[in-house]
């Protein structure tokens, strides 16, 4: 899950990864997972069960929670303009991922004769528009790290791993030059997908 990876990249960046016990689940959109549903009634990952047995879910919420656990530089900037940029980039990246996941499931889980071509085209257009917006913005990405940049990198990694839209590098040299550098961070290499 790219959303789990986003949480784990943040955990690594904040020095919290070793404090998280990972439970591997493989939920699908076709049925709920009983164990997961106890922690998240939407039966979606990620879900974080705290020591007091409270559950948090949705990667954005979990990342904000992790950011509250340390006194160092925040992964969600406090300065107003930087904060809104990071949160907007996270929202854009998550939206591109959601479109990609919908296309991926439509192509891999629905029988070929039942696949809805207009749906695939519409979701692909949304993702393409988002990627093109990031290409225009990439020259201005800061050198540091914040949640928006983590979200962008994880999203690009997933798109290259699962390929719901084929080659997404074409026509986006600035974005992918940035991504290739960012992907070398230890948090990214430690969480790279394998299968």
């Amino acid at each position: 899950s790219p959303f789990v990876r986003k949480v784990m990249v943040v955990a690594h960046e904040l020095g919290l990864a070793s404090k998280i016990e990972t439970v591997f689940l493989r939920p699908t959109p076709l049925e709920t997972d009983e164990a997961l549903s106890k922690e998240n009634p939407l039966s979606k990952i990620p879900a974080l069960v705290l020591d007091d047995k409270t559950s948090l879910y949705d990667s954005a919420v979990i990342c904000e929670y992790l950011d509250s656990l340390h006194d160092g530089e925040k992964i969600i900037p406090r300065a107003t303009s930087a904060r809104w940029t990071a949160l907007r980039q996270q929202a854009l990246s998550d939206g591109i991922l959601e479109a990609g996941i919908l296309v991926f499931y439509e192509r891999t889980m629905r029988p070929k004769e039942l696949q809805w071509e207009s749906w695939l085209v519409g979701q692909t257009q949304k993702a393409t528009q988002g990627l093109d917006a990031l290409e225009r913005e990439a020259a201005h990405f800061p050198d540091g790290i914040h949640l928006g940049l983590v979200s962008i990198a994880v999203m690009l990694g997933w798109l290259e791993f699962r390929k719901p839209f084929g080659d997404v590098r074409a026509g986006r040299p600035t974005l992918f030059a940035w991504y290739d550098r960012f992907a070398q961070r230890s948090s990214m290499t430690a969480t790279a997908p394998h299968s």
Side-chain angles (χ1 to χ4, degrees):
S1 164
F3 298 108
V4 171
R5 186 180 188 201
K6 177 171 67 170
V7 167
M8 293 309 299
V9 168
V10 166
H12 279 275
E13 291 288 343
L14 299 179
L16 299 171
S18 64
K19 297 181 179 186
I20 297 174
E21 177 187 346
T22 304
V23 176
F24 292 94
L25 301 171
R26 290 261 195 220
T28 77
L30 302 179
E31 59 186 326
T32 61
D33 178 281
E34 185 177 341
L36 179 57
S37 293
K38 288 178 184 174
E39 306 307 336
N40 179 353
L42 299 173
S43 197
K44 293 170 69 175
I45 54 177
L48 179 67
V49 181
L50 307 181
D51 290 339
D52 68 1
K53 306 302 180 204
T54 302
S55 293
L56 298 177
Y57 36 87
D58 188 85
S59 62
V61 173
I62 296 170
C63 288
E64 188 156 350
Y65 172 76
L66 294 176
D67 207 24
S68 76
L69 297 180
H70 70 103
D71 295 325
E73 188 168 337
K74 298 299 182 182
I75 201 87
I76 303 171
R78 291 185 176 172
T80 305
S81 63
R83 177 180 182 80
W84 297 128
T85 296
L87 293 176
R88 175 186 53 77
Q89 288 173 340
Q90 176 184 224
L92 178 56
S93 298
D94 287 358
I96 293 167
L97 273 175
E98 289 163 3
I101 289 167
L102 290 171
V103 167
F104 179 77
Y105 282 143
E106 183 76 10
R107 289 194 172 130
T108 60
M109 302 197 96
R110 188 182 300 270
K112 181 87 171 144
E113 65 276 6
L114 298 178
Q115 290 179 15
W116 191 4
E117 190 58 33
S118 296
W119 173 264
L120 293 168
V121 169
Q123 297 304 317
T124 301
Q125 283 178 319
K126 291 175 187 179
T128 299
Q129 290 172 177
L131 290 166
D132 291 343
L134 290 172
E135 169 63 20
R136 292 187 297 273
E137 199 174 321
H140 306 290
F141 289 172
D143 290 333
I145 183 170
H146 60 60
L147 185 57
L149 298 177
V150 170
S151 301
I152 292 165
V154 167
M155 175 268 297
L156 293 173
W158 186 85
L159 292 181
E160 289 213 304
F161 180 64
R162 292 292 183 200
K163 300 191 182 312
F165 309 119
D167 177 19
V168 291
R169 282 184 180 253
R172 300 182 184 101
T174 308
L175 179 60
F176 277 92
W178 169 85
Y179 169 72
D180 289 338
R181 291 188 305 273
F182 195 94
Q184 298 307 308
R185 295 181 75 89
S186 60
S187 61
M188 291 290 287
T189 59
T191 59
H194 299 291
S195 62

